[in-house]
Structure formats: C-alpha cells, structure tokens
Amino acid sequence: MRGASPRPQLRGPGVLHQRYVRRAPQPAVQPVSTPAPASPGLLGSGHVVVAFIALLFVCQLALLVEALAPARVVFRILSFGTSLALLVLVKGPRLKHPAMPFLLASAGLTALNFFHPGTNTPLAAAAQLGIQVSVFAPLFWASRLRIDAKMFGRVVLLLFLFNVASASLGILQVTFPGRFQPALSAMVEGQGEGYVRSLQFETASGARVFRPMGLTDVPGGAATGAFYSVLLGGAFLLSRQGLSRKVLGAAGIGIGLICLYLGQVRVAAVTLLVCMAAMGLVLTVSGRWVRLVTLASVVGGFAVVAFGWAVAVGGDAVLSRWSTLTASDPSKVYQSNRGRFLDETFDEVLPEFPLGAGLGRYGMANAYFGDNLDRTSPPLWAEIQWTAWAYDGGWLGLVCYPLALLVTLGWGFQVARRRDDSRGEFWLWGSLLFAYDLGAIAQTFSYQFFMSQMGMEFWLLNAAFFSAYSWNRNAAVHPHRR
C-alpha cells in the first residue's frame, strides 16, 4: 500500500547481536549560520602594537631635531606615558604570562620605597615608579590584544627595518665625516671636552669622527641598531617566507656587522656572540641542522668580510680597539670597565641600602624632577641595571625582576624547542625571542636596560609573541575543549 511506511530491509546474521531501538522520526536538519566574531576594534587589535612602536621611533627621532630641543622632556616621557595610558585603555581577555607575578612584586617593592626616608621629592619618586611600571606595562596591555602570526611578523619586520636604518646611517657617518652627523646630546656634551674627545677616533682617511650615532644623539649609539640588525636578520634568514625575506635578513646581518665594528662597542659584540650561540643551541636541541649550518655560514662569512671593510674605513683605531678582546681575558676586559660597578653594587650599595635607597635619586627621574640640594637624599649614580634594582628594592629588588626575566627566557625556550612546523613558524620566533631575551639580560650588566625604551620594546615584543602563540593554540583546539 502506498500509504504504509516502508518495511525495514533485511540484514545479515549480525543483526541478532544488536539491540533494536525504535526512534522517532527526526526532522530534517537545517544549516545554522554562525555569526562572525565581533571585531575587537582598534584598541583590541594588533595594530595598537604597530602604532606604539611607530610612536617610539618618532620620539627617538624627535631628539635629533634641534628645533625641538626645548620639548626634549616631552618626547622623552611621551612613550612612557602612552604605555601607562594603554594599560587602562586596552580591553580584552587577560592572558597570564608567567612573568607577571614577579613584575607586580617588583613594582610593589618600588612603591614601598616611596615612603623611604631617603626618597627625594614626591614628584621625582612618582616619576621613578611610573618609569618602572611603564616599561613592563606592555606585557599586561599587549597580551590582551588579538595578535596573529602574520601581525607578529610585521612587528618584528618594523623593528628590524628601523634598526637597519640606524646601522646604515652609522656607516655613512663614518664613511662621510660631518655629512650625516646629528647634534650631540647635551648630556654627553656636559661631561666635558676630555670625555667628548674620548668618544672620537681617527679614520683611515685622517678625519676625526665620533663613533657612529645612527638614529641617536649618543656616540656609539648605532651599535644598538647594529646588534638588532644582526639578531633579527638571522630570524628572517631562517624563515620560509620567501627569498626576499632571506635576502633582506642577510643584508641586515652584513650592515649590522660593519656598523658594529665601526662603533667599537665591545660589550655589544660580546652580547651578540652570546645571542648567536643561544640561537645555535636551540637549533641544535630541536634538530634543525640545515638551518644551523645556514646561520653559522652566513654570519661567520659576513663577520670576516665586514671586519675587513670596517678596518679599511675606520683605520688602525678600529683594529686596535677590537684586538683588546683577544689580547686579554674577556672577563678582565669587562672587570676593568663595567665590572667594577657590579662589584660596588654588592660590596657597597646593598650593605648601605639593604631595603632600598628611596625613590627619585638617580637617572632621568632625578635629572628632571629631583632636588639635588637636599642633603638628606643626595643624588646617586646607577651605571648598570643591577645597581638600579638595588636602589629601588634592596636585596629583594635583585630577586623579583631577574626572576621575571628568567621565566620569560624559559618560556621562549620551551616554544623554540618544539618540533611543530606550523604556518606561523612559532618555533622560529621562539628561537629569536630566546636569543633576544638572553641578550637583554646580558645588557643589564652594561647599562640601565629596563629603565629605557629598549626595556619597553623587550616586554612589548615578548607580550606580542605570547598573545600570538596563545591565540594560535586556542584556534587549534576544538571549541568543546577550550
């Protein structure tokens, strides 16, 4: 009969071992359209990181314009103030980076020193605390942003191009004396004629020039751009993002090494050597032998060629300066220069200020907002970051912040050694961050790295990578398991 329901078809003997379950007829399933995720908006996207890096570059370049000299203080604090403002303005899910608890503890110790009897003026103390918080603030606000692998690659590329530009200008400043020279920093000029003359050298052509400044107003400042040109260039050299990126990375390595030799900043060279060794270690542990050989061959080859070029331009001054690294033990070279400041920190500063020395007594906060006529809290000098940590928090200050750096370094190493070969190449960026972070830790023995824009860039890059890696992992997990 037409109106009767069709009888079930006969099946084989296996049907005897199955339970018969009568089910009600199911309606046809209609496709349900899933609404597209809402746009995070400008203050929730990775474009905030790009815009902030652009602001850092503008503030640095503004210091080179003589017409803007009366507003130097504004440009020096603009980036720090913007970082604090973004800490309030940026909204989004809070990703917990492992360094956050240690940074909050460090900030708490600094805040307690606000009430120390040795604190200078309330304004200088507030500036000191504000600088420290603004430097690591990107780890908190940038980790809330939705950043993908492509956006993180753009951030690294932007940093790379700026540093290559600074290193290239540094080479031109030595090759063509006086033609590309910016105005000398007033702070350096105020050290006296003898000190200023010590920052100059005689080139092969007989001209007397400053050590290359690059896009800074400090002699030898181009060495920073040279350092990051080589380090970031190594990552692009190993990337799979096309031949153009590899060529760009190799060019950055060559330019950076020439500028580094001309800059004669031995600490930067030793730090770079440590970073390259760290990246090589990660490649070895993860079994990426071809990339290891590629990196060693390109950097090693350029190192020889660049040294010959630098000596041909810079003359005997360059040759004699770098020969001091091999003429004696490198540890003795450091000890005779920055090493004595580290000894003074543990032998003199900490016994005198075991809980901190009060705020606003050193650095930019004291120079702009301090009262140096107050004999109860005279100005202090911090040449290296470890001395600054001791002034801000005593013994505990030398524990909390370094622990934040160590856990950040460890997290980057864990990502770098993984064998996944995803489209985002997170293992490569993890290798870069591991070497980059190790270099930053090394530079704390040379100057106040985490009281500067370089320290802010450190936490910004780590936060952007943490956000990109976290969003990538969440996207790879099935929705019901998130």
Side-chain angles (χ1 to χ4, degrees):
M1 297 175 61
R2 291 186 177 181
S5 61
R7 297 176 60 184
Q9 298 295 322
L10 295 177
R11 291 181 289 172
V15 72
L16 298 177
H17 299 284
Q18 297 181 11
R19 295 183 60 186
Y20 177 73
V21 180
R22 186 174 182 179
R23 295 182 175 88
Q26 300 293 328
V29 178
Q30 299 294 331
V32 179
S33 60
T34 303
S39 173
L42 178 61
L43 288 177
S45 70
H47 295 289
V48 175
V49 176
V50 176
F52 185 74
I53 291 177
L55 175 67
L56 294 181
F57 294 161
V58 169
C59 290
Q60 183 171 335
L61 294 176
L63 300 177
L64 307 180
V65 182
E66 294 187 29
L68 300 176
R72 290 177 66 90
V73 180
V74 176
F75 288 107
R76 285 194 180 277
I77 66 176
L78 181 59
S79 57
F80 297 96
T82 304
S83 179
L84 291 176
L86 289 173
L87 190 60
V88 178
L89 295 176
V90 172
K91 306 296 181 182
R94 298 177 181 272
L95 301 177
K96 295 183 179 180
H97 190 280
M100 288 180 176
F102 301 104
L103 291 174
L104 291 175
S106 176
L109 287 172
T110 305
L112 288 176
N113 262 268
F114 194 99
F115 306 99
H116 192 284
T119 292
N120 196 267
T121 66
L123 185 58
Q128 187 77 37
L129 179 60
I131 291 172
Q132 186 186 112
V133 174
S134 64
V135 166
F136 69 70
L139 185 66
F140 291 82
W141 58 259
S143 59
R144 302 175 195 165
L145 302 173
R146 188 159 191 167
I147 302 172
D148 56 14
K150 182 180 292 187
M151 180 60 71
F152 180 76
R154 292 175 185 170
V155 170
V156 177
L157 179 62
L158 186 61
L159 289 171
F160 172 72
L161 292 177
F162 182 83
N163 284 288
V164 169
S166 182
S168 301
L169 185 62
I171 296 174
L172 293 175
Q173 289 165 354
V174 177
T175 307
F176 305 99
R179 294 180 60 180
F180 299 94
Q181 194 71 43
L184 187 64
S185 168
M187 188 173 296
V188 174
E189 201 168 9
Q191 298 295 320
E193 184 178 353
Y195 177 76
V196 172
R197 190 168 180 80
S198 68
L199 300 177
Q200 299 174 333
F201 68 98
E202 187 175 321
T203 66
S205 63
R208 190 163 188 84
V209 299
F210 282 108
R211 294 180 187 176
M213 301 185 190
L215 293 173
T216 73
D217 57 354
V218 178
T224 300
F227 172 86
Y228 288 112
S229 294
V230 178
L231 184 58
L232 300 179
F236 286 114
L237 177 68
L238 303 181
S239 176
R240 298 180 308 172
Q241 297 181 11
L243 181 61
S244 61
R245 291 291 177 94
K246 294 180 181 293
V247 172
L248 186 64
I253 292 173
I255 292 171
L257 287 172
I258 294 173
C259 182
L260 189 63
Y261 287 135
L262 291 175
Q264 306 175 40
V265 181
R266 296 170 298 182
V267 173
V270 173
T271 304
L272 179 61
L273 183 62
V274 172
C275 291
M276 289 292 102
M279 188 175 288
L281 173 64
V282 175
L283 294 174
T284 302
V285 170
S286 58
R288 295 181 171 91
W289 301 104
V290 175
R291 287 182 169 90
L292 175 63
V293 172
T294 301
L295 181 66
S297 301
V298 173
V299 175
F302 272 123
V304 175
V305 175
F307 186 73
W309 188 331
V311 171
V313 174
D316 294 338
V318 174
L319 183 62
S320 60
R321 177 72 173 177
W322 290 109
S323 64
T324 59
L325 279 179
T326 56
S328 58
D329 187 355
S331 62
K332 294 181 179 179
V333 175
Y334 173 77
Q335 186 63 33
S336 62
N337 290 274
R338 292 290 193 271
R340 58 190 179 91
F341 297 111
L342 186 64
D343 290 341
E344 290 175 2
T345 300
F346 287 92
D347 296 340
E348 300 176 16
V349 174
L350 285 172
E352 184 177 359
F353 307 111
L355 299 178
L359 301 184
R361 299 183 61 179
Y362 72 92
M364 191 166 59
N366 178 266
Y368 289 120
F369 308 107
D371 179 13
N372 294 331
L373 298 179
D374 187 355
R375 296 184 178 180
T376 60
S377 58
L380 301 172
W381 182 258
E383 183 74 21
I384 62 175
Q385 183 63 59
W386 292 83
T387 308
W389 284 332
Y391 286 150
D392 289 340
W395 283 103
L396 290 177
L398 293 181
V399 174
C400 295
Y401 214 109
L403 280 177
L405 301 178
L406 289 178
V407 297
T408 302
L409 184 71
W411 185 84
F413 180 76
Q414 291 300 320
V415 176
R417 64 191 295 268
R418 292 180 179 176
R419 291 293 303 172
D420 64 317
D421 198 19
S422 60
R423 290 180 300 174
E425 293 186 301
F426 285 101
W427 71 266
L428 175 61
W429 302 127
S431 302
L432 169 65
L433 261 294
F434 176 71
Y436 177 87
D437 294 350
L438 189 62
I441 294 175
Q443 291 188 64
T444 61
F445 295 90
S446 178
Y447 73 104
Q448 298 177 43
F449 186 87
F450 289 100
M451 297 298 289
S452 67
Q453 281 193 183
M454 297 304 300
M456 198 180 302
E457 291 178 12
F458 170 91
W459 289 117
L460 182 65
L461 195 59
N462 276 278
F465 179 67
F466 183 73
S467 177
Y469 185 75
S470 300
W471 280 109
N472 180 74
R473 289 193 64 185
N474 289 338
V477 177
H478 196 276
H480 79 275
R481 299 184 64 181
R482 291 179 188 171

